């Protein structure tokens, strides 16, 4: 969801379309819901839980998939989903994305159709996530082709600025819990913070949003990707596909996440809270410029 | 993975096959891996991370799907996956499940083939999980048909026994983090505790294991399902498909999870740690028999 600075930044995307000209709806829906519960004392209480709705993606009228999402930024989610599933190679291929919450549908219109969509969506790989995430085609397909900036680095002081910014974010999580957050930073500066019930939706929304920005923002090599979720292989791969060479997580890393990050030359940092963190891979990208007590 | 009491219980399944007679391999693989990291002080440290491996399921030589898993109990995972995807209606349909970690393959041999497997795996629904979990067919397909025991109850004191047992479990999580745990209880007594990098794998393994037990264990109506993960709709549905009317989570609940639990008559309890918890749905199943300070 949109918060603080990025809000003004992001809501502009709908109207003043950055190149390329993808027409997007601006579907809105409540992000939390108040529900009555009974606590351990048998007392009735009202709490908030995150919204969760299904969104069926239709590409040129052909049903592709149904996502379950918080629904904060469905248009970016759909664009980023198509991007991260490698079903679309460039935003130029997309003419418009129209989300209608009344029917829970996202209508994607392409300019020239998507080549061999049938074939590309045939193979299923059910990935870790916290669930059984689905990636069309082989996870590792494009990994070998990815070249991350060899020189990109992050200073420890910038990392701490990132952790402080995330900590101080107003968020659905603070109000309702049960959502994952992802954020895109340039150095220590926040560009975008997105939450979703599915952490893959959050990173997909960021990937979609990036495609709608100026070339300077679309470039990943000076960016840092933050996620509250675990660094699974598909999380690492999605960051790498955005060209982002440094990934930070509040959580840990899985074995495949570690192996893929190692192979890609991506610096994976986990267990990052306050001043603590663990650098799992490619520590040469991290500059220890802060003296800790 | 197998821990404490359930260990002896479970490892027997491979040899002394409980009715029905599904032949299972007993593929074993290391569950954690030691890796070198650099901490915030620039100091090298060795930590453990959970193993993560891909397992491709072949049903009668036909490739179905690839799961990413910790690999603790792959045979039960495969059986439970087929069960929870509603691709198999009874374990009697399965002749054998043979897992070979050398090639990352699980060969499922059915007795008479699975009817319209093609058709049943055509529709994809990408669900919340923490990722984008994949369920074949409509999530809600079978929900209307599920009838949970109207009388099943859990005492608060039993709930606290469950939380204490989970807290005291030896686990991959305590050693390496980054895994989800699920457990099956009868009243307050632990039957099975399973961990996996994917929390859906953990519940699937439990569903598979249940199908290999005596009728008394297969029955869900006197069982309680525990998960460290969020109560998403598919988590609730999987518990309900096992006939389990009470679900407990250390985490929260999503809106669809709440709605499905409400509709199913399932008692969903979340934020459960030590003496704290929130009862989201059907509190009539919970007996407050403990006076808290």
């Amino acid at each position: 969801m949109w918060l603080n600075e990025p809000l003004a930044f992001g809501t502009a995307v709908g109207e003043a379309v950055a190149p390329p000209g993808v027409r997007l709806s601006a579907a809105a829906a409540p992000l939390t819901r108040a529900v009555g519960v009974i606590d351990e004392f048998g007392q009735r209480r009202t709490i908030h839980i995150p919204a969760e709705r299904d969104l069926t993606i239709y590409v040129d009228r052909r049903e592709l998939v149904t996502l379950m999402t918080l629904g904060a930024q469905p248009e970016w989610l759909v664009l980023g989903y198509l991007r991260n599933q490698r079903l679309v190679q460039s935003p130029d291929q997309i003419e418009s994305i129209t989300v209608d919450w009344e029917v829970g549908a996202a209508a994607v219109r392409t300019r020239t159709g998507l080549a061999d969509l049938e074939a590309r969506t045939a193979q299923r790989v059910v990935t870790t996530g916290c669930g059984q995430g689905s990636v069309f085609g082989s996870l590792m397909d494009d990994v070998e082709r990815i070249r991350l900036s060899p020189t990109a680095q992050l200073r420890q002081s910038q990392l701490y600025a990132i952790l402080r910014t995330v900590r101080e974010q107003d968020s659905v999580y603070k109000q309702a819990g049960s959502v994952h957050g992802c954020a895109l930073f340039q150095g220590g500066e926040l560009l975008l913070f997105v939450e979703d019930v599915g952490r893959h939706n959050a990173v997909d929304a960021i990937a979609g949003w990036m495609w709608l920005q100026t070339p300077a923002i679309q470039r990943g090599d000076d960016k840092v990707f933050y996620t509250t979720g675990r660094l699974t292989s598909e999380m690492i791969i999605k960051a790498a596909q955005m060209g982002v060479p440094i990934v930070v997580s509040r959580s840990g890393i899985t074995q495949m996440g570690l192996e893929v990050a190692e192979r890609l030359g991506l610096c994976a940092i986990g267990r990052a809270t306050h001043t603590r963190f663990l650098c799992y891979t490619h520590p040469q990208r991290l500059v220890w410029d802060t003296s800790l007590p």
Side-chain angles (χ1 to χ4, degrees), chain A residues 244-280:
Chain A
V244 177
I246 298 167
V247 174
V248 178
S249 171
R250 189 172 64 197
S251 306
I253 196 165
T254 69
Q255 184 173 334
M256 284 193 176
L258 186 85
E259 288 167 4
V260 174
E262 189 60 58
R263 182 161 15 143
L264 283 167
L266 184 146
C267 177
I269 299 167
R271 304 288 176 205
T273 58
H274 297 82
T275 62
R276 301 196 58 192
F277 67 86
L278 296 176
C279 180
Y280 297 111

Side-chain angles (χ1 to χ4, degrees), chain A residues 104-141:
Chain A
V108 178
R109 186 176 300 157
T110 68
R111 298 191 190 281
T112 57
L114 299 189
D116 61 358
L117 190 60
E118 291 287 351
R120 296 178 61 89
T121 59
Q123 187 191 352
R124 269 182 298 271
V125 179
V126 174
T127 57
T128 296
C130 286
Q132 292 165 335
S134 180
V135 177
F136 299 128
S138 165
L139 253 184
M140 301 300 175
D141 267 1

